[in-house]
Amino acid sequence: MKISGAKAFIKCLKEQGVDTIFGFPGGAVIEIYDELNKCDDIRHILVRHEQGAVHAADGYARVKGDVGVALVTSGPGATNTVTGIASAYCDSIPMVVFTGQVPTQLIGNDAFQEVDIVGITRPCTKHNYLVKNPEDLVPTIREAFHIARTGRPGPVLVDLPKDVIGSTIAFPENRQVKLRTYRPTYEPHPGQIEKACQAILKAKRPVIYAGGGVVLSKAHEELTRLARKLHIPVTMTLMGLGGFPGTDPLSMGMLGMHGTYYANMAVAESDLLIAVGARFDDRVTGRIDAFAPHAKIVHIDIDPSSISKNVKVDIPIVADCRHALAAINSWIDRKGEVNDAAQKEKLAAWHDKIAGWRKKHPLGYKEEGDIIKPQYVVEKLHELTGGEAIISTEVGQNQMWAAQFYHFNHPGSLLTSGGLGVMGYGFPAAIGAQIAAPDRIVIDIAGDGSIQMNIQELATARQHGCPVKIAILNNGYLGMVRQWQELFFDRNYSATPLDVAPDFVALAKAYGGVGLRATRKSEVEPVIKEALKTDNVVIMDFVVAREEGVYPMVPAGKATTEMLLV
Amino acid sequence: MRHVISVLLQNKPGVLSRVTGLFSGRGFNIESLAVAQTLDPEVSCLTLTTTGDDMIIEQITKQLHKLIDVIKVTDMNEVESVEREMAIIRVKAEAGTRAEVLRVIDIFRGKVVDVSPKSYAVEITGPASKIKAVIDILRPIGIQEIVRTGVISMARAKKN
């Protein structure tokens, strides 16, 4: 039996397990929307800007642990997705983005709402497709999902010309995806595992450096087992937070530009760095030749091109992080002959040293009477949610304070645009997260600058009943840039004061949400408590110390040991 | 160091731009590029020459492998191979130099493919080093135009 392209599209999505689509309609995809409205199994979340759809699909994917889906029309609908796609690409988030396209016979004619979105997104997708023949529609969608969710995950874009959607096709039942050469390596090489294990058992000053790969591959349990069994201190990248419990005594928190003093010092003095699903990003390494200069480096990553890209690796392991860590744990169990007391004794001096650094420069901030410190707000959010909320962030100071002070204990509990650093990511991502986990508390920690980049999604949250809580750390500045101007540009605050700002409380109300404000420290706790018991989207406007900075800070181009401290 | 890299690709629209986009986006250079269908019409072979230290060449190879449409990547510097490039060179050939040009071409086993009263166009085939040698010799006589195909390369068959 033959069915329409639009029907086949919906049927194929259901087959791929899709239950939610974030999107925005338009002429090129109107046939799909016609079918979507008749389909009870797929929930469509109508956003107010296509960028919001992609970030929401990103947040949804991270919380659900599966592929997020966005659907937009051709032309501007498609170009509006680019930032979201690029962000998902940097953070390796599995996602399929469907864009409408003008009919095939018009492609290349500069038709109305035509854009070469496959060309535009080529460098920021894992792969992309233009479906030219109706019979390719279903196999292409299957391939897209397969590529998005396997190996190092990432966004895949499928461009759908209007005539392909409008065509009549026989739905191909054979679901098997055949790709000639795409075969990601999941299992580690046993020889490399043995080398890594021997290095780990020999190390006197080991550090585990865990990245987003730990979260993506669900390797947190294996990682925690390895660290606890051998008493190895753990530091995490921004994307890795939650991959190891942040409140565990072995956790040193985040490393890098705004990492903790002790994490950066420990990496600098380590004799073995075990990098797991991390990519030696410049925000982590600082000046590259001064990064972990005494350490032998073990690097586990499913993407071979991540290995030895920035830093020469001694023991490379190309594998899925979970599989590789499981293999390491099992090798150590079988052949390691680890005596717990002896292992503890061997690393005692190392732990003493780290404890000394921790004592010398703990993570902290200065209290100033009843003025609200942004870090205090994050600490209170942690306390009042028991550390169990899903936190999304915007980008800038708000993001770093969230990373430093929320102490994430679970993978998937921090949603942040880590690689691309997109202001405006947090709120739509929080909506996606709330859709994926309706019973969890979802909080977007935002700045007064970045929240305005996708503030229109308040309507989306209201329309689809997402009681997301937005905590604006309102300092009246584009705070991170201001901080750089303070430190490196002689306080020349060029274009960073936000002299005109909306009344966020009134704004929340205008959308039918709830607005709350705190201007004094004593008001912070009641405002959070009020927000947490409100079953509606809430903006908490925290008027915070205007010129508070994020510390520690490694100035750009400096070694990570050259930190500016509180 | 100069490397010749051979890439087998799915013969589909847009695949070439995935490769060239990768090079421009990551700041790798391409000195020459040649691409055409292979025996299997679904597969194209792309040969490119590039330069870089070991770490850069390793990245190039890995990044190429990462493209879904790439089937196989071979660094031809690591295998025994036959390398060829063709150039058509238009060289000034006036009364005093016409015979000299023909002699040089003959030595390099080139062919004259176009003749005019004041110039010859000559075809030279060989490894890039040979093309360079011809150009160096003809330059003092007066080269007016050069067109080159870019290097192609094939691994030698195993002898046993």
Side-chain angles (χ1 to χ4, degrees):
Chain A
M1 196 189 72
K2 290 198 162 188
I3 55 173
S4 74
K7 275 203 169 75
F9 173 85
I10 302 281
K11 188 172 171 187
C12 189
L13 255 51
K14 281 201 272 188
E15 161 201 303
Q16 293 297 321
V18 175
D19 57 13
T20 307
I21 294 179
F22 300 88
F24 198 98
V29 287
I30 197 161
E31 279 89 354
I32 293 179
Y33 272 88
D34 188 53
E35 286 300 330
L36 207 48
N37 211 28
K38 299 173 194 159
C39 170
D40 294 331
D41 305 329
I42 298 179
R43 184 176 179 197
H44 179 263
I45 306 298
L46 176 66
V47 294
R48 294 300 186 270
H49 185 294
E50 289 89 346
Q51 186 189 351
V54 182
H55 291 325
D58 179 316
Y60 179 89
R62 295 193 202 208
V63 171
K64 196 95 173 175
D66 199 2
V67 183
V69 178
L71 169 65
V72 301
T73 193
S74 64
T79 53
N80 276 346
T81 65
V82 173
T83 302
I85 294 173
S87 178
Y89 185 59
C90 289
D91 293 345
S92 310
I93 304 304
M95 176 189 293
V96 178
V97 176
F98 293 100
T99 51
Q101 182 56 280
V102 300
T104 43
Q105 72 275 12
L106 285 182
I107 290 176
N109 278 15
D110 302 325
F112 175 65
Q113 292 196 331
E114 180 193 351
V115 73
D116 174 14
I117 195 64
V118 168
I120 288 170
T121 59
R122 209 168 270 139
C124 63
T125 49
K126 186 171 171 187
H127 198 53
N128 60 15
Y129 298 90
L130 166 64
V131 182
K132 276 190 170 162
N133 299 309
E135 64 268 26
D136 292 340
L137 175 66
V138 172
T140 303
I141 295 172
R142 288 174 177 148
E143 254 182 57
F145 276 87
H146 176 71
I147 290 171
R149 61 161 67 101
T150 54
R152 178 177 179 177
V156 179
L157 181 138
V158 183
D159 201 19
L160 303 167
K162 193 174 162 73
D163 55 323
V164 170
I165 292 302
S167 66
T168 309
I169 54 171
F171 190 84
E173 295 298 337
N174 182 3
R175 296 186 185 186
Q176 212 176 355
V177 171
K178 267 191 231 144
L179 284 160
R180 194 154 174 170
T181 53
Y182 173 75
R183 279 181 215 100
T185 309
Y186 282 83
E187 291 304 327
H189 187 281
Q192 294 299 94
I193 291 292
E194 184 164 342
K195 272 193 216 163
C197 289
Q198 278 159 354
I200 292 169
L201 292 176
K202 237 171 64 188
K204 293 198 175 77
R205 301 186 308 278
V207 169
I208 292 174
Y209 150 43
V214 171
V215 175
L216 287 164
S217 68
K218 305 178 175 75
H220 50 281
E221 281 171 9
E222 296 289 353
L223 180 78
T224 307
R225 195 155 94 77
L226 175 67
R228 285 184 182 156
K229 182 167 172 95
L230 298 179
H231 309 285
I232 304 173
V234 180
T235 179
M236 285 154 280
T237 68
L238 179 61
M239 294 301 295
L241 291 173
F244 183 79
T247 51
D248 190 288
L250 287 169
S251 168
M252 300 187 290
M254 188 168 69
L255 80 166
M257 182 174 270
H258 293 294
T260 63
Y261 176 77
Y262 32 103
N264 283 335
M265 294 306 287
V267 169
E269 295 206 8
S270 65
D271 66 352
L272 181 76
L273 189 66
I274 307 153
V276 189
R279 59 188 176 91
F280 297 83
D281 168 87
D282 58 284
R283 285 296 192 263
V284 160
T285 62
R287 205 180 80 220
I288 202 106
D289 56 310
F291 181 72
H294 314 295
K296 194 172 213 177
I297 298 177
V298 175
H299 188 184
I300 302 169
D301 206 296
I302 198 162
D303 177 3
S305 73
S306 278
I307 292 174
S308 290
K309 182 170 69 180
N310 302 329
V311 172
K312 193 89 194 132
V313 170
D314 300 288
I315 305 174
I317 299 174
V318 176
D320 175 90
C321 294
R322 184 161 52 87
H323 292 228
L325 288 172
I328 287 174
N329 281 329
S330 121
W331 194 96
I332 288 170
D333 286 346
R334 282 182 291 117
K335 301 196 185 161
E337 293 169 4
V338 180
N339 173 313
D340 191 59
Q343 175 70 10
K344 244 182 174 157
E345 173 64 29
K346 189 172 78 182
L347 299 188
W350 181 226
H351 282 287
D352 284 351
K353 201 157 197 187
I354 294 170
W357 286 321
R358 209 187 270 267
K359 200 168 163 207
K360 192 171 163 203
H361 293 292
L363 200 56
Y365 58 95
K366 291 195 185 91
E367 302 274 4
E368 278 176 57
D370 213 18
I371 292 171
I372 304 175
K373 286 302 183 94
Q375 301 93 329
Y376 173 78
V377 175
V378 178
E379 281 183 339
K380 275 285 158 193
L381 286 170
H382 180 265
E383 183 191 319
L384 297 171
T385 57
E388 294 296 317
I390 295 172
I391 301 290
S392 72
T393 78
E394 304 294 337
V395 164
Q397 290 184 315
N398 61 80
Q399 181 185 32
M400 291 299 112
W401 286 320
Q404 290 177 332
F405 292 93
Y406 195 84
H407 309 299
F408 299 89
N409 277 333
H410 311 291
S413 54
L414 170 64
L415 318 177
T416 194
S417 173
L420 195 66
V422 179
M423 290 171 73
Y425 167 85
F427 181 38
I431 292 173
Q434 188 78 80
I435 301 265
D439 301 329
R440 299 278 302 274
I441 293 168
V442 182
I443 303 173
D444 172 30
I445 296 182
D448 49 316
S450 44
I451 190 62
Q452 293 184 64
M453 286 215 180
N454 272 320
I455 192 87
Q456 76 285 346
E457 302 305 332
L458 278 168
T460 308
R462 283 280 300 140
Q463 181 166 338
H464 297 282
C466 301
V468 169
K469 314 291 181 273
I470 304 170
I472 300 178
L473 307 174
N474 188 345
N475 56 16
Y477 281 115
L478 298 171
M480 187 58 94
V481 183
R482 187 211 58 77
Q483 180 175 340
W484 283 51
Q485 289 169 337
E486 173 191 331
L487 295 169
F488 313 119
F489 292 88
D490 202 20
R491 299 176 71 96
N492 179 22
Y493 291 167
S494 174
T496 44
L498 295 171
D499 293 335
V500 172
D503 174 342
F504 288 110
V505 171
L507 187 69
K509 285 180 186 155
Y511 277 96
V514 173
L516 304 167
R517 181 173 289 127
T519 54
R520 284 186 305 216
K521 191 178 165 187
S522 51
E523 294 164 357
V524 170
E525 190 167 321
V527 160
I528 296 173
K529 280 183 170 163
E530 178 67 27
L532 290 179
K533 66 177 191 211
T534 304
D535 186 26
N536 193 349
V537 62
V538 180
I539 291 185
M540 295 173 272
D541 185 16
F542 297 105
V543 180
V544 299
R546 288 206 74 193
E547 300 207 4
E548 186 69 12
V550 179
Y551 295 101
M553 177 179 187
V554 178
K558 296 272 188 180
T560 49
T561 48
E562 299 173 79
M563 285 166 273
L564 307 174
L565 298 157
V566 180
Chain B
M1 192 186 164
R2 173 179 172 275
H3 284 249
V4 177
I5 295 175
S6 173
V7 189
L8 291 181
L9 304 163
Q10 304 272 17
N11 188 4
K12 287 189 207 162
V15 177
L16 180 60
S17 70
R18 289 185 200 277
V19 173
T20 53
L22 169 70
F23 274 73
S24 59
R26 293 193 178 264
F28 305 139
N29 72 59
I30 299 180
E31 283 170 11
S32 78
L33 180 80
V35 55
Q37 207 180 76
T38 62
L39 196 58
D40 177 351
E42 286 185 6
V43 177
S44 312
C45 178
L46 179 152
T47 312
L48 60 86
T49 53
T50 184
T51 47
D53 59 27
D54 289 350
M55 218 160 152
I56 289 174
I57 299 298
E58 185 182 330
Q59 261 304 303
I60 289 176
T61 318
K62 285 175 168 176
Q63 292 291 346
L64 282 168
H65 264 300
K66 224 167 118 173
L67 297 176
I68 307 282
D69 289 327
V70 165
I71 298 165
K72 191 178 175 197
V73 182
T74 314
D75 181 352
M76 299 308 276
N77 288 34
E78 288 175 2
V79 296
E80 284 285 314
S81 65
V82 202
E83 178 188 314
R84 288 293 177 273
E85 181 174 4
M86 191 175 93
I88 302 174
I89 304 169
R90 188 182 303 285
V91 60
K92 211 152 82 179
E94 287 165 344
T97 56
R98 286 183 90 84
E100 170 67 6
V101 170
L102 289 179
R103 263 199 303 278
V104 169
I105 298 312
D106 195 42
I107 291 167
F108 285 98
R109 278 179 272 169
K111 282 202 299 214
V112 174
V113 291
D114 185 39
V115 181
S116 83
K118 291 188 173 172
S119 69
Y120 287 136
V122 301
E123 173 195 315
I124 300 286
T125 305
S129 55
K130 177 173 160 186
I131 311 278
K132 182 180 182 295
V134 177
I135 291 170
D136 287 347
I137 298 243
L138 293 180
R139 181 159 287 159
I141 299 171
I143 294 176
Q144 292 170 332
E145 193 182 352
I146 299 181
V147 182
R148 301 171 68 160
T149 57
V151 171
I152 55 169
S153 179
M154 182 187 267
R156 288 184 188 274
K158 287 201 173 71
K159 295 289 189 289
N160 41 19

Short mmCIF file of all heavy atoms in Angstrom, two decimals, chain A residues 364-384 401 405 473 518 520-526 528 542 544 548:
data_model
loop_
_atom_site.label_atom_id
_atom_site.label_comp_id
_atom_site.label_asym_id
_atom_site.label_seq_id
_atom_site.Cartn_x
_atom_site.Cartn_y
_atom_site.Cartn_z
N GLY A 364 35.13 29.92 47.00
CA GLY A 364 34.35 30.76 47.91
C GLY A 364 34.12 32.15 47.37
O GLY A 364 34.45 32.44 46.21
N TYR A 365 33.55 32.97 48.20
CA TYR A 365 33.27 34.36 47.82
C TYR A 365 33.12 35.16 49.10
O TYR A 365 32.96 34.60 50.19
CB TYR A 365 32.00 34.43 46.97
CG TYR A 365 30.77 33.87 47.64
CD1 TYR A 365 29.89 34.70 48.34
CD2 TYR A 365 30.50 32.50 47.62
CE1 TYR A 365 28.78 34.18 48.99
CE2 TYR A 365 29.39 31.98 48.26
CZ TYR A 365 28.52 32.82 48.94
OH TYR A 365 27.44 32.31 49.58
N LYS A 366 33.18 36.48 48.95
CA LYS A 366 33.08 37.34 50.14
C LYS A 366 31.63 37.77 50.35
O LYS A 366 30.98 38.25 49.43
CB LYS A 366 33.96 38.57 49.95
CG LYS A 366 35.45 38.25 49.98
CD LYS A 366 36.27 39.54 50.16
CE LYS A 366 37.76 39.23 50.06
NZ LYS A 366 38.29 39.34 48.70
N GLU A 367 31.17 37.61 51.58
CA GLU A 367 29.82 38.09 51.91
C GLU A 367 29.87 39.60 52.08
O GLU A 367 30.89 40.16 52.50
CB GLU A 367 29.37 37.48 53.26
CG GLU A 367 29.34 35.97 53.28
CD GLU A 367 28.05 35.38 52.76
OE1 GLU A 367 27.19 36.16 52.29
OE2 GLU A 367 27.91 34.15 52.81
N GLU A 368 28.79 40.29 51.73
CA GLU A 368 28.73 41.75 51.93
C GLU A 368 27.37 42.12 52.51
O GLU A 368 26.48 42.54 51.77
CB GLU A 368 28.93 42.49 50.60
CG GLU A 368 30.37 42.65 50.18
CD GLU A 368 30.47 43.29 48.80
OE1 GLU A 368 29.94 44.41 48.62
OE2 GLU A 368 31.05 42.68 47.89
N GLY A 369 27.21 41.92 53.80
CA GLY A 369 25.97 42.32 54.48
C GLY A 369 24.75 41.71 53.83
O GLY A 369 24.71 40.52 53.55
N ASP A 370 23.78 42.57 53.50
CA ASP A 370 22.52 42.07 52.96
C ASP A 370 22.48 42.11 51.42
O ASP A 370 21.45 41.87 50.81
CB ASP A 370 21.35 42.88 53.55
CG ASP A 370 20.10 41.99 53.70
OD1 ASP A 370 20.25 40.74 53.66
OD2 ASP A 370 19.00 42.55 53.81
N ILE A 371 23.65 42.44 50.85
CA ILE A 371 23.72 42.43 49.38
C ILE A 371 23.70 40.97 48.92
O ILE A 371 24.33 40.10 49.52
CB ILE A 371 25.02 43.12 48.90
CG1 ILE A 371 24.94 44.61 49.23
CG2 ILE A 371 25.25 42.90 47.40
CD1 ILE A 371 26.22 45.35 48.99
N ILE A 372 22.96 40.70 47.85
CA ILE A 372 22.89 39.31 47.35
C ILE A 372 24.12 39.02 46.51
O ILE A 372 24.38 39.70 45.51
CB ILE A 372 21.63 39.08 46.50
CG1 ILE A 372 20.36 39.43 47.29
CG2 ILE A 372 21.57 37.63 46.01
CD1 ILE A 372 19.08 39.34 46.47
N LYS A 373 24.86 37.99 46.92
CA LYS A 373 25.96 37.51 46.08
C LYS A 373 25.39 36.42 45.17
O LYS A 373 24.67 35.53 45.62
CB LYS A 373 27.10 36.96 46.94
CG LYS A 373 27.91 38.05 47.64
CD LYS A 373 28.48 39.00 46.60
CE LYS A 373 29.37 40.08 47.18
NZ LYS A 373 30.77 39.75 47.20
N PRO A 374 25.74 36.48 43.89
CA PRO A 374 25.18 35.48 42.95
C PRO A 374 25.52 34.05 43.37
O PRO A 374 24.68 33.15 43.21
CB PRO A 374 25.83 35.85 41.62
CG PRO A 374 26.94 36.79 41.93
CD PRO A 374 26.59 37.47 43.20
N GLN A 375 26.71 33.87 43.91
CA GLN A 375 27.10 32.52 44.34
C GLN A 375 26.18 32.01 45.45
O GLN A 375 25.88 30.82 45.53
CB GLN A 375 28.55 32.50 44.85
CG GLN A 375 29.58 32.96 43.83
CD GLN A 375 29.90 34.45 43.94
OE1 GLN A 375 29.04 35.24 44.33
NE2 GLN A 375 31.11 34.84 43.60
N TYR A 376 25.76 32.94 46.30
CA TYR A 376 24.87 32.59 47.40
C TYR A 376 23.55 32.06 46.86
O TYR A 376 22.98 31.10 47.38
CB TYR A 376 24.66 33.83 48.29
CG TYR A 376 23.64 33.64 49.38
CD1 TYR A 376 23.95 32.94 50.54
CD2 TYR A 376 22.34 34.17 49.25
CE1 TYR A 376 23.00 32.76 51.54
CE2 TYR A 376 21.39 33.99 50.24
CZ TYR A 376 21.72 33.29 51.39
OH TYR A 376 20.79 33.11 52.38
N VAL A 377 23.07 32.70 45.79
CA VAL A 377 21.81 32.26 45.19
C VAL A 377 21.95 30.81 44.71
O VAL A 377 21.08 29.97 44.95
CB VAL A 377 21.41 33.18 44.01
CG1 VAL A 377 20.15 32.65 43.31
CG2 VAL A 377 21.18 34.61 44.50
N VAL A 378 23.07 30.52 44.03
CA VAL A 378 23.27 29.16 43.52
C VAL A 378 23.37 28.17 44.68
O VAL A 378 22.77 27.09 44.65
CB VAL A 378 24.52 29.08 42.62
CG1 VAL A 378 24.75 27.66 42.12
CG2 VAL A 378 24.40 30.04 41.43
N GLU A 379 24.09 28.56 45.73
CA GLU A 379 24.19 27.68 46.91
C GLU A 379 22.83 27.40 47.52
O GLU A 379 22.52 26.27 47.92
CB GLU A 379 25.10 28.33 47.96
CG GLU A 379 26.57 28.17 47.65
CD GLU A 379 27.44 28.76 48.75
OE1 GLU A 379 26.97 29.62 49.53
OE2 GLU A 379 28.61 28.37 48.82
N LYS A 380 22.02 28.45 47.58
CA LYS A 380 20.67 28.29 48.15
C LYS A 380 19.80 27.40 47.27
O LYS A 380 19.00 26.60 47.76
CB LYS A 380 20.00 29.67 48.33
CG LYS A 380 20.37 30.34 49.63
CD LYS A 380 19.62 29.69 50.79
CE LYS A 380 20.37 29.96 52.09
NZ LYS A 380 19.89 29.10 53.20
N LEU A 381 19.96 27.57 45.95
CA LEU A 381 19.19 26.71 45.03
C LEU A 381 19.58 25.25 45.28
O LEU A 381 18.73 24.36 45.30
CB LEU A 381 19.48 27.09 43.58
CG LEU A 381 18.84 28.39 43.06
CD1 LEU A 381 19.40 28.76 41.69
CD2 LEU A 381 17.32 28.26 42.97
N HIS A 382 20.88 25.03 45.48
CA HIS A 382 21.35 23.67 45.74
C HIS A 382 20.73 23.14 47.03
O HIS A 382 20.17 22.04 47.09
CB HIS A 382 22.88 23.65 45.84
CG HIS A 382 23.43 22.28 46.10
ND1 HIS A 382 23.73 21.82 47.37
CD2 HIS A 382 23.71 21.27 45.26
CE1 HIS A 382 24.16 20.57 47.29
NE2 HIS A 382 24.17 20.22 46.03
N GLU A 383 20.80 23.97 48.04
CA GLU A 383 20.31 23.56 49.36
C GLU A 383 18.81 23.27 49.33
O GLU A 383 18.36 22.22 49.80
CB GLU A 383 20.62 24.69 50.35
CG GLU A 383 20.24 24.41 51.78
CD GLU A 383 20.33 25.68 52.63
OE1 GLU A 383 21.30 26.46 52.45
OE2 GLU A 383 19.41 25.89 53.45
N LEU A 384 18.04 24.16 48.72
CA LEU A 384 16.59 24.02 48.79
C LEU A 384 16.03 22.98 47.81
O LEU A 384 14.88 22.57 47.93
CB LEU A 384 15.92 25.39 48.55
CG LEU A 384 16.26 26.43 49.64
CD1 LEU A 384 15.75 27.80 49.25
CD2 LEU A 384 15.68 26.02 51.00
N TRP A 401 29.11 30.27 37.72
CA TRP A 401 28.68 30.16 39.13
C TRP A 401 27.84 28.90 39.33
O TRP A 401 27.96 28.23 40.36
CB TRP A 401 27.92 31.42 39.55
CG TRP A 401 28.82 32.60 39.76
CD1 TRP A 401 30.06 32.58 40.36
CD2 TRP A 401 28.58 33.96 39.37
NE1 TRP A 401 30.59 33.85 40.37
CE2 TRP A 401 29.71 34.71 39.78
CE3 TRP A 401 27.53 34.61 38.75
CZ2 TRP A 401 29.81 36.10 39.57
CZ3 TRP A 401 27.62 35.98 38.54
CH2 TRP A 401 28.75 36.71 38.95
N PHE A 405 29.11 26.17 42.00
CA PHE A 405 28.45 26.11 43.31
C PHE A 405 27.24 25.17 43.40
O PHE A 405 26.67 25.03 44.45
CB PHE A 405 28.05 27.53 43.77
CG PHE A 405 29.24 28.38 44.09
CD1 PHE A 405 29.81 29.22 43.14
CD2 PHE A 405 29.84 28.31 45.34
CE1 PHE A 405 30.93 29.98 43.42
CE2 PHE A 405 30.96 29.07 45.65
CZ PHE A 405 31.52 29.91 44.68
N LEU A 473 20.33 36.03 37.68
CA LEU A 473 21.32 36.70 38.52
C LEU A 473 21.52 38.06 37.88
O LEU A 473 22.32 38.23 36.97
CB LEU A 473 22.62 35.88 38.56
CG LEU A 473 22.44 34.40 38.95
CD1 LEU A 473 23.75 33.64 38.82
CD2 LEU A 473 21.90 34.28 40.38
N ALA A 518 13.97 39.41 44.48
CA ALA A 518 14.70 39.54 45.74
C ALA A 518 15.78 40.59 45.56
O ALA A 518 16.55 40.54 44.59
CB ALA A 518 15.33 38.21 46.14
N ARG A 520 17.40 41.72 48.58
CA ARG A 520 18.24 41.56 49.76
C ARG A 520 18.47 40.08 50.03
O ARG A 520 17.61 39.24 49.71
CB ARG A 520 17.57 42.21 50.98
CG ARG A 520 17.68 43.72 50.96
CD ARG A 520 17.14 44.30 52.22
NE ARG A 520 15.75 43.84 52.43
CZ ARG A 520 14.80 44.58 52.96
NH1 ARG A 520 15.07 45.81 53.36
NH2 ARG A 520 13.59 44.11 53.13
N LYS A 521 19.61 39.81 50.64
CA LYS A 521 20.00 38.43 50.89
C LYS A 521 18.90 37.68 51.64
O LYS A 521 18.61 36.52 51.33
CB LYS A 521 21.30 38.44 51.71
CG LYS A 521 21.95 37.11 51.82
CD LYS A 521 23.24 37.23 52.60
CE LYS A 521 23.72 35.86 53.03
NZ LYS A 521 24.88 35.95 53.92
N SER A 522 18.29 38.35 52.58
CA SER A 522 17.28 37.68 53.40
C SER A 522 16.04 37.28 52.59
O SER A 522 15.25 36.44 53.02
CB SER A 522 16.86 38.59 54.56
OG SER A 522 16.53 39.86 54.04
N GLU A 523 15.90 37.88 51.39
CA GLU A 523 14.72 37.56 50.58
C GLU A 523 14.97 36.37 49.63
O GLU A 523 14.01 35.88 49.02
CB GLU A 523 14.32 38.78 49.73
CG GLU A 523 13.84 39.94 50.57
CD GLU A 523 13.81 41.26 49.79
OE1 GLU A 523 14.22 41.28 48.61
OE2 GLU A 523 13.40 42.28 50.38
N VAL A 524 16.21 35.96 49.53
CA VAL A 524 16.55 34.92 48.56
C VAL A 524 15.81 33.62 48.87
O VAL A 524 15.14 33.03 48.00
CB VAL A 524 18.08 34.69 48.50
CG1 VAL A 524 18.41 33.45 47.66
CG2 VAL A 524 18.77 35.92 47.92
N GLU A 525 15.94 33.18 50.10
CA GLU A 525 15.35 31.89 50.46
C GLU A 525 13.82 31.87 50.30
O GLU A 525 13.29 30.95 49.65
CB GLU A 525 15.76 31.51 51.89
CG GLU A 525 15.38 30.09 52.21
CD GLU A 525 16.04 29.56 53.49
OE1 GLU A 525 17.22 29.90 53.74
OE2 GLU A 525 15.36 28.84 54.24
N PRO A 526 13.11 32.89 50.82
CA PRO A 526 11.66 32.89 50.61
C PRO A 526 11.26 32.90 49.13
O PRO A 526 10.30 32.23 48.74
CB PRO A 526 11.18 34.18 51.30
CG PRO A 526 12.29 34.62 52.17
CD PRO A 526 13.55 33.98 51.72
N ILE A 528 12.95 31.62 46.56
CA ILE A 528 13.17 30.28 45.99
C ILE A 528 12.08 29.31 46.47
O ILE A 528 11.52 28.55 45.67
CB ILE A 528 14.57 29.74 46.35
CG1 ILE A 528 15.66 30.62 45.72
CG2 ILE A 528 14.74 28.29 45.87
CD1 ILE A 528 17.07 30.28 46.14
N PHE A 542 16.81 38.01 40.87
CA PHE A 542 17.72 38.27 42.00
C PHE A 542 18.61 39.46 41.65
O PHE A 542 19.47 39.35 40.77
CB PHE A 542 18.58 37.05 42.30
CG PHE A 542 17.78 35.85 42.75
CD1 PHE A 542 17.58 34.78 41.88
CD2 PHE A 542 17.23 35.80 44.02
CE1 PHE A 542 16.84 33.67 42.28
CE2 PHE A 542 16.49 34.70 44.43
CZ PHE A 542 16.29 33.63 43.57
N VAL A 544 21.57 41.24 42.17
CA VAL A 544 22.81 40.81 42.85
C VAL A 544 23.88 41.89 42.79
O VAL A 544 23.75 42.89 42.06
CB VAL A 544 23.36 39.51 42.22
CG1 VAL A 544 22.36 38.37 42.33
CG2 VAL A 544 23.75 39.72 40.75
N GLU A 548 30.42 41.67 40.91
CA GLU A 548 31.00 40.43 41.39
C GLU A 548 31.68 39.70 40.23
O GLU A 548 31.17 39.71 39.11
CB GLU A 548 29.88 39.54 41.98
CG GLU A 548 30.36 38.28 42.64
CD GLU A 548 31.12 38.53 43.94
OE1 GLU A 548 31.09 39.67 44.46
OE2 GLU A 548 31.74 37.58 44.44
#
